[in-house]
Every structure is written in structure tokens, then in C-alpha cells.
Amino acid sequence: MSGGSAGRPALGFVFAAVMIDAMGIGLVMPVMPALLREVTGLGLDGAARWGGALSLCYAAMQFLCAPLLGALSDRRGRRPVLLTSLAALGAAYLAMAAAGSIWTLLAARLAAGAAAATHSTAYAYVADVTAPERRAARFGLLGAAFGLGFVLGPALGGALGELGPRAPFLAAAALAFAAAGLGLAAAPESLPPERRRRRLSLRGAHPLRALARAARMPGMGPILGAVLLYDLAIYAYPSVWSFHVAAAYGWSAGQVGMSLAAYGLVSGMAQAWLIRPALARLGERRTALMGLGADALGALGLAAALGGWSVYALMPLLGAAAMAGPAMTAMLSRRASEAAQGELQGVLAALSGAAAMISPPVMTWIFDLFVGSGAPFQAPGAPFALAAALAAGAALLLAARA
């Protein structure tokens, strides 16, 4: 089935599932502060602290559970894991919509993090039905689908939020259930029984054990290190972008929203259209290096805070940076066996979860350190200087790989 026409109808479902998953995340972002204030009875500052706790719990559950679900998809097949994950996400969103206390909301968020195998299982599904030389381009399309969903989701969530803070959660649940129904009707299994893992070891699915096992495979350790550094750098953008442009340029919420939408748009365009010719001309490794170099230069430009105009002038570099992820994922996918694609994607999801736990608090702490009243000097772009160093470190790791 790899690379053949038999997989093409299913690809539409997989891309739609990833986009719907991203839309579900984005749908609830505009109203989460209002719902947190409602269920806690606290002010905005207290609600923000609970919001940070919910984000940390989600990332922690993703870190802990993603390798297990990835390995489970290697043993039982992609389809049941993908459909169950979508259904569980739908149920979690329903629980959030009905939450009457912060503890119910926290439990639902934990369940959503545990079930967040949609993205990684979708990548494994695509790897199953795509020849190795075409995977990077299709991984780029998956990234573009996620980016499109993340652009559409907040816009729709903001509109639905006018009906009340719980309406977007109901919409997110409906989207997840619709995606599960579509997959049930249209998506065949991508991993035939003869290519599946023979047994599942729960002990071996521990995230650190799974990561260590993957790192010991020939040539994979440096690439996994580069992926982690890249993820840590990329999480600087959602963590401090809004604070940075507000502090550096005094932008309004509308201007911040427009800049974020532009960032999402250029990233999606790069992954949908630019990565294919780049791969054809440069190959996976050099495409990844180009993306990491663009990320380092773009982040340095943001750190310099030359003026509001520079944010948009840097968009081509920031968009090109989005090609690094799919290219490195394809490099890793080539080195993993057909029976370990799910485990690999689970490891990558765990690395992303680890980055989501580490990077936001570090980046926001650095922002506060260089913007607060006790700052040695005002430098609202300081977190992006660290992001640039991380991206450069990832490029060095990848360039030094034998």
C-alpha cells in the first residue's frame, strides 16, 4: 500500500482529521479565559494561572501517553487508535462544555492530553501509505492542514463565543465526532497484519525508554536532538509573541491577531507549496538545514525589535522555518522500520510535549526578566534571541551528523 493509489482516498480523511483537530484546539482558545473565570470565580490573573496549569497538564499527558499510543498503533493498527482518539477528544470537549468546577475542567483536559494521538497517528498513517522519498512533502501537507485549522479555529471560536463561553466547546466536540464518523466510513486500515509489531511492551512504551530506544537506532540520535531543540525554539512563538509585540510596538489586540494570522498563513503556505520544490532541489537534510537557518535568522530579527514593519518583513523567513519539521520527520521515518512508525511518531509527540512543558515557562520568565521594572535593560525580544540560539544548535547537530 505504501505510495500506491490505494492510500489516496484515505489521505483526504487524514488531512481533514488533522485540520479538524487543530480547529478544535483553536476554537476554545478565545473563550477559555471566560470559562475559567466562570468556573473558578477568580479574576483574570487567577484564571490565567489556572490556564497555565491546564496547558501544563495537557502537555504532560501528551508526553506520558503518546509513545504508548504510538506503539499501540504499531500493534493493533492505525485506524482504531485514530478513531478512538478522535472520539475521546469529542467526549473531553463535551465534558469541558458541561464543566461546573475547575476540577471537572482539569480532568477533561487531562483526558484530552492522554487522547492526543490524532496528530502522531496521522503521521504514522501517512508513512504507511507513502513511499519514503515522498513522505517529507506529505508531512508538509499535514503541517499545512494543521496550520489552516489553527487559523480557522480561533476565528470561528471568537464568533461562537458571542453565544457564550461553552458554545465553542460544543462545536469542537461536534467536529471531533464528525471526523471520527468520517474515518469510520471512509478510512481503511493502513498497516496490514503482517507488518505490525508482534507484541506490545507497556514497560518499553515509557516515554524515556521509547526515546532511548529510538536514539540508539543508527543515525537517529542527532536528528532527535535537533527536533527537540527545534521544538523548544518554535514554542517561543505562541508563548511570547503577543506580549513581545505589545511591549515592543504597543500593538492592539487586533494588530496582534493579524500578525499571528499572517504567521500561520506563511507557515502553512511553506509546508503546502514551498517544501516540495525545496526537497526536489536540496533533499531532506539540506531542506531541514535551510529551515533551521531561516528560523534562527527570523528569531534574531524579532529579537532585534527594529520596528513593527520588521515583523512582516521577517514573515518569509518565519514561513521557511516551518519546513524543518517535516523534513526532519521524514529523515527519521526513513530510519525506522515499517512496524515502528507509530512508536516513532509517539516519540516525536512526546518530545513536542516535553518542549511544551519546558519552553513556555522559560520563555515567559525571560520576557519578564528583561521587561519588568527590575530589568537591567529593556529587551522584549530576549526570548527570541534564545529561540535563535536553539535553532542554530539544532542546525549544528544536524550538520555534524555523519
Side-chain angles (χ1 to χ4, degrees):
M1 191 173 182
S2 181
S5 60
R8 288 172 189 162
L11 288 175
F13 155 70
V14 175
F15 294 141
V18 168
M19 185 176 73
I20 288 171
D21 185 28
M23 285 184 67
I25 297 170
L27 267 167
V28 305
M29 289 174 64
V31 295
M32 185 62 86
L35 182 61
L36 283 168
R37 293 182 71 178
E38 182 180 308
V39 299
T40 62
L42 298 173
L44 191 59
D45 55 341
R49 288 192 294 272
W50 273 111
L54 291 178
S55 297
L56 178 61
C57 288
Y58 182 92
M61 290 302 290
Q62 185 181 21
F63 171 74
L64 292 171
C65 297
L68 173 61
L69 291 173
L72 185 63
S73 77
D74 288 334
R75 178 68 184 90
R76 298 295 183 184
R78 317 296 183 208
R79 187 174 185 266
V81 173
L82 188 57
L83 298 182
T84 302
S85 296
L86 286 167
L89 282 173
Y93 282 128
L94 282 181
M96 292 180 209
S101 72
I102 186 60
W103 304 114
T104 303
L105 195 60
L106 180 62
R109 193 64 175 162
L110 287 168
T118 310
H119 200 66
S120 57
T121 310
Y123 272 74
Y125 194 113
V126 168
D128 291 339
V129 300
T130 306
E133 65 272 11
R134 300 178 63 193
R135 285 176 186 168
R138 283 187 171 171
F139 289 161
L141 287 174
L142 280 178
F146 188 87
L148 178 60
F150 213 73
V151 170
L152 295 175
L156 182 58
L160 290 173
E162 297 298 319
L163 303 176
R166 298 175 188 268
F169 290 90
L170 295 173
L175 284 173
F177 287 133
L182 177 63
L184 191 63
E189 176 55 58
S190 65
L191 188 65
E194 64 272 15
R195 286 167 49 195
R196 294 180 190 176
R197 184 188 294 261
R198 294 193 175 184
R199 67 185 185 89
L200 175 66
S201 169
L202 295 179
R203 186 168 177 267
H206 186 284
L208 296 181
R209 290 183 184 276
L211 177 59
R213 188 165 53 251
R216 286 195 297 267
M217 295 180 187
M220 292 184 73
I223 308 174
L224 287 168
V227 168
L228 177 59
L229 292 177
Y230 173 72
D231 285 343
L232 289 168
I234 286 296
Y235 271 107
Y237 297 96
S239 301
V240 297
W241 181 292
S242 300
F243 301 103
H244 165 70
V245 295
Y249 313 123
W251 282 5
S252 67
Q255 290 172 304
V256 173
M258 286 182 62
S259 66
L260 283 169
Y263 172 62
L265 183 62
V266 297
S267 297
M269 290 174 64
Q271 292 181 90
W273 294 306
L274 184 58
I275 192 170
R276 194 181 298 269
L279 288 166
R281 188 174 185 86
L282 302 174
E284 291 167 0
R285 184 165 176 263
R286 285 190 289 175
T287 297
L289 287 171
M290 181 180 71
L292 292 170
D295 191 18
L297 291 173
L300 272 181
L302 290 175
L306 301 174
W309 60 269
S310 66
V311 174
Y312 289 96
L314 291 166
M315 286 295 176
L317 283 174
L318 300 177
M323 295 190 296
M328 288 190 290
T329 300
M331 292 172 68
L332 291 165
S333 182
R334 282 181 180 272
R335 288 160 175 78
S337 69
E338 295 299 323
Q341 293 293 324
E343 182 181 12
L344 169 63
Q345 298 302 331
V347 166
L348 292 177
L351 287 178
S352 179
M357 289 188 287
I358 297 168
S359 186
V362 170
M363 295 298 179
T364 51
W365 174 76
I366 291 174
F367 178 84
D368 182 61
L369 186 65
F370 284 93
V371 173
S373 56
F377 55 90
Q378 292 294 302
F384 291 112
L386 175 58
L390 289 167
L396 288 174
L397 263 181
L398 207 59
R401 184 185 62 84

